[in-house]
């Protein structure tokens, strides 16, 4: 078994900062650092997790349990306060569909821009361009500025770029609710295809029925701690029981 | 299916990563250029109109009313060759300082070398610098400018000093701006001073005649002063005549063999310090934005 993601003893504290200016920080220093300048809370508390290559894992939990924060650590957007995160191969995150899309650029320009942001090379995008357009069903609107797209078209194009990045590790956060039902089905089929081809998947979603059809393994988080790690059905049942 | 080593995500190689992501840099720059003048009638012409108007204002106020036309030969060329460089610096540093906060939505969600954003800002300003350079060259040729190898090299060195300086300061203030939004206001103030703290509107001899030697040394060590004088050397000096302008002090003595290396070294130090600060601060960008 080759490990794709290794999370070891990761803790993360968030600072709820009260002050945003040098003036307030200065006043606080002058007063002899009385009181706490900021309030802290643990988003992740000593999390350890290993994901093997080709595994499909669902991160589950209620709002604020640290799922998205963990995903951001795996993607490298955030760095842990303590502990370590290591990954093998290229990690691509569908952390939010369309982050990096610019409304004033055409669909075509956005495909290139977003593809490059997600780590594709120029040749890869050239090669997959037709396939991206076809999958998104955007058709003749590809040269229209994205701001004139309907929200469905926008999401379809963004999703299409993301699933064409062919990473070794694919992180998906709460984006499976894109487009109409036929398109959703197509997306799910594509994600399963990736999983079957050996891509490691880490999915965050509140749609429990949906994740249990995609993922084999479930990890339940609560207040930044892993409280259950097992087959997805078991974890979903536990979460439902608790809620 | 692959036998790569486990690596730590989010640990970039700094500016080296920018070189590796040339394609993304190119796309970010072309995005900025496309988006900049969207919905405006004059479009890219604004890149000519703004410096043009600025030039006319300074020319009237300083050249005509304050008499700079009388004591400086070809003052319009003297003025414009400095202005284009300071404009490049102002735009580059101003935009680079705002680039991290401005791209916060992306930085919070996807990992990519964040140095790309300040570097792209400087690059975009470099593109906007070109039309101004064309106007400057046209004016110079019209005034009998015949450059030699030294002039061309001096111009390139001047541009390089400013580009490195703007990138270094941009990395520094861009990163600090995430934590303290005061940073961008500080930069605005700095840019206002920059125009006057280098011999753009007046000549360096006016400073020499008024201040003590140590102060003059500091003034001359300012990389912007060095870069502006290099531009004067490259574009303005060849258009002057020995009968009117004292060639020995038209630009500061030892400009090429002493001040130029100092300017380059200072800029390189600034870019290293900027990069180090950026690396220290970038780990918490995603949660602070």
């Amino acid at each position: 078994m080759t490990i794709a993601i290794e999370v070891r003893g990761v803790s993360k504290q968030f600072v709820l900062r009260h002050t945003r200016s040098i003036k307030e920080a200065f006043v606080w220093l002058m007063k002899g650092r009385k009181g706490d300048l900021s309030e802290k809370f643990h988003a992740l508390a000593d999390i350890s997790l290993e994901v093997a290559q080709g595994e499909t894992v669902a991160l589950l939990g209620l709002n604020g349990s640290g799922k998205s924060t963990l995903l951001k650590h795996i993607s490298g957007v955030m760095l842990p306060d303590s502990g370590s995160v290591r990954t093998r191969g290229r990690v691509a995150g569908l952390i939010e569909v369309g982050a990096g899309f610019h409304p004033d650029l055409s669909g075509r320009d956005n495909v290139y821009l977003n593809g490059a942001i997600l780590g594709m090379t120029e040749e890869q995008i050239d090669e997959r361009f037709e396939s991206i357009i076809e999958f998104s069903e955007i058709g003749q609107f590809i040269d229209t500025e994205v701001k004139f797209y309907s929200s469905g078209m926008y999401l379809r194009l963004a999703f299409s770029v993301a699933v064409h990045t062919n990473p070794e590790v694919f992180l998906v956060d709460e984006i499976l609710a894109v487009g109409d039902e036929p398109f959703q089905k197509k997306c799910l089929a594509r994600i399963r295809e990736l999983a079957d081809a050996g891509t490691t998947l880490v999915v965050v979603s509140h749609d429990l029925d949906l994740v249990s059809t995609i993922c084999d393994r479930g990890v339940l988080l609560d207040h930044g701690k892993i409280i259950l790690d097992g087959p997805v059905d078991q974890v979903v049942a536990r979460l439902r029981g608790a809620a | 299916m692959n036998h790569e080593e486990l690596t730590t995500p989010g640990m970039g190689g700094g500016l080296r990563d920018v070189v590796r992501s040339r394609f993304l840099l190119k796309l970010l720059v072309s995005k900025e250029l496309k988006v900049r003048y969207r919905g405006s009638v004059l479009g890219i012409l604004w890149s000519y109109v703004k410096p043009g108007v600025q030039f006319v204002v300074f020319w009237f106020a300083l050249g005509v009313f304050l008499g700079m036309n009388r004591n400086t030969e070809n003052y319009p060329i003297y003025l414009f060759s400095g202005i284009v460089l300071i404009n490049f610096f102002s735009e580059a540093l101003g935009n680079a300082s705002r680039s991290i906060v401005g791209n916060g939505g992306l930085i919070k969600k996807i990992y990519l070398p964040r140095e790309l954003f300040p570097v792209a800002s400087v690059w975009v300003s470099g593109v906007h610098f070109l039309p101004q350079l064309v106007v400057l060259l046209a004016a110079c040729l019209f005034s009998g400018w015949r450059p030699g190898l030294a002039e061309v090299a001096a111009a390139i060195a001047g541009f390089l000093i400013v580009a490195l300086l703007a990138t270094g300061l941009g990395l520094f203030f861009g990163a600090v701006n995430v934590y303290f939004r005061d940073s961008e206001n500080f930069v605005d103030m700095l840019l206002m001073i920059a125009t006057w703290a280098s011999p753009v509107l007046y000549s360096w001899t006016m400073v020499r005649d008024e201040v003590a030697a140590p102060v003059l040394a500091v003034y001359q060590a300012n990389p912007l002063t060095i870069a502006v004088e290099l531009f004067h050397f490259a574009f303005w000096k060849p258009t002057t005549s020995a009968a009117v302008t004292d060639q020995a002090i038209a630009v500061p003595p030892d400009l090429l063999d002493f001040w130029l290396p100092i300017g380059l070294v200072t800029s390189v130090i600034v870019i290293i310090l900027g990069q180090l600060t950026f690396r220290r601060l970038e780990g918490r960008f995603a949660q602070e934005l």
Side-chain angles (χ1 to χ4, degrees), chain A residues 101 107-116 118 120-139 142 149 153-166 183 186 190:
Chain A
F101 262 44
R108 184 182 301 272
D109 289 340
N110 268 310
V111 167
Y112 275 89
L113 182 59
N114 212 24
L118 293 173
M120 287 204 270
T121 64
E122 189 169 10
E123 296 77 40
Q124 285 172 332
I125 305 175
D126 284 337
E127 189 187 296
R128 296 171 198 166
F129 191 79
E130 288 307 316
S131 166
I132 290 172
I133 304 309
E134 196 190 330
F135 188 88
S136 68
E137 300 165 18
I138 293 292
I142 190 63
Y149 282 19
M153 288 162 72
Y154 185 87
L155 289 173
R156 283 194 329 246
L157 187 61
F159 187 87
S160 181
V161 176
V163 291
H164 280 84
T165 51
N166 287 3
F183 189 74
K186 199 159 116 180
R190 174 77 192 186

Side-chain angles (χ1 to χ4, degrees), chain A residues 18-229:
Chain A
H18 292 314
T19 150
R20 267 281 169 197
S21 76
I22 287 177
K23 189 189 92 187
E24 284 163 74
F26 182 75
V27 169
W28 175 74
L29 276 175
M30 286 297 102
K31 281 181 176 167
R33 303 183 177 210
K34 268 187 207 122
D36 219 348
L37 187 64
S38 49
E39 216 172 86
K40 290 177 178 165
F41 86 102
H42 269 284
L44 296 178
D46 197 22
I47 294 262
S48 291
L49 181 70
E50 276 186 0
V51 178
Q53 233 164 39
E55 252 192 310
T56 50
V57 181
L59 297 179
L60 301 168
L62 304 175
N63 280 332
S65 55
K67 309 179 297 283
S68 295
T69 308
L70 182 54
L71 213 56
K72 283 182 177 174
H73 278 80
I74 297 172
S75 72
V77 167
M78 284 186 183
L79 299 178
D81 292 340
S82 60
S84 70
V85 178
R86 294 195 299 163
T87 54
R88 197 188 307 272
R90 207 155 62 77
V91 179
L94 250 185
I95 305 289
E96 187 171 298
V97 170
F101 262 44
H102 199 290
D104 286 304
L105 295 180
S106 70
R108 184 182 301 272
D109 289 340
N110 268 310
V111 167
Y112 275 89
L113 182 59
N114 212 24
I117 286 171
L118 293 173
M120 287 204 270
T121 64
E122 189 169 10
E123 296 77 40
Q124 285 172 332
I125 305 175
D126 284 337
E127 189 187 296
R128 296 171 198 166
F129 191 79
E130 288 307 316
S131 166
I132 290 172
I133 304 309
E134 196 190 330
F135 188 88
S136 68
E137 300 165 18
I138 293 292
Q140 83 244 39
F141 297 109
I142 190 63
D143 288 310
T144 308
E145 285 166 17
V146 162
K147 65 181 167 189
F148 298 122
Y149 282 19
S150 71
S151 54
M153 288 162 72
Y154 185 87
L155 289 173
R156 283 194 329 246
L157 187 61
F159 187 87
S160 181
V161 176
V163 291
H164 280 84
T165 51
N166 287 3
E168 269 89 30
V169 178
F170 198 37
L171 311 174
V172 185
D173 187 357
E174 217 45 276
I175 50 89
L176 295 171
V178 289
D180 46 25
E181 210 183 342
F183 189 74
Q184 267 190 40
K185 285 205 172 115
K186 199 159 116 180
C187 292
L188 288 178
R190 174 77 192 186
I191 286 183
R192 277 199 202 95
E193 224 173 84
L194 288 174
D196 291 343
T199 307
T200 311
L201 275 183
V202 182
V203 181
V204 167
S205 178
H206 288 290
D207 189 338
L208 300 179
D209 294 326
L210 195 134
V211 292
S212 47
T213 65
I214 301 174
C215 300
D216 300 326
R217 178 177 165 194
V219 173
L220 182 58
L221 286 144
D222 185 36
H223 290 97
K225 290 190 183 74
I226 293 179
I227 52 172
L228 187 63
D229 184 349

Side-chain angles (χ1 to χ4, degrees), chain B residues 20-85:
Chain B
R20 247 172 260 143
S21 327
R22 281 182 304 268
F23 176 55
L24 180 51
L25 178 65
K26 193 182 94 185
L27 291 176
L28 287 172
V29 169
S30 81
K31 176 195 91 175
E32 278 304 313
L33 292 173
K34 277 183 193 164
V35 167
R36 171 70 62 95
Y37 295 116
R38 64 176 186 266
S40 71
V41 180
L42 289 182
I44 192 78
L45 273 180
W46 278 112
S47 288
Y48 294 85
V49 173
K50 278 192 283 188
V53 169
Q54 181 193 22
F55 169 75
V56 169
V57 168
F58 279 137
W59 184 75
F60 264 106
L62 296 154
V64 179
F65 303 147
L66 292 175
M68 286 298 290
N69 278 340
R70 263 164 280 136
N71 55 35
T72 310
E73 195 183 357
N74 284 338
Y75 180 67
I77 289 181
Y78 183 89
L79 180 62
F80 197 63
S81 54
I83 282 184
V84 293
L85 203 57

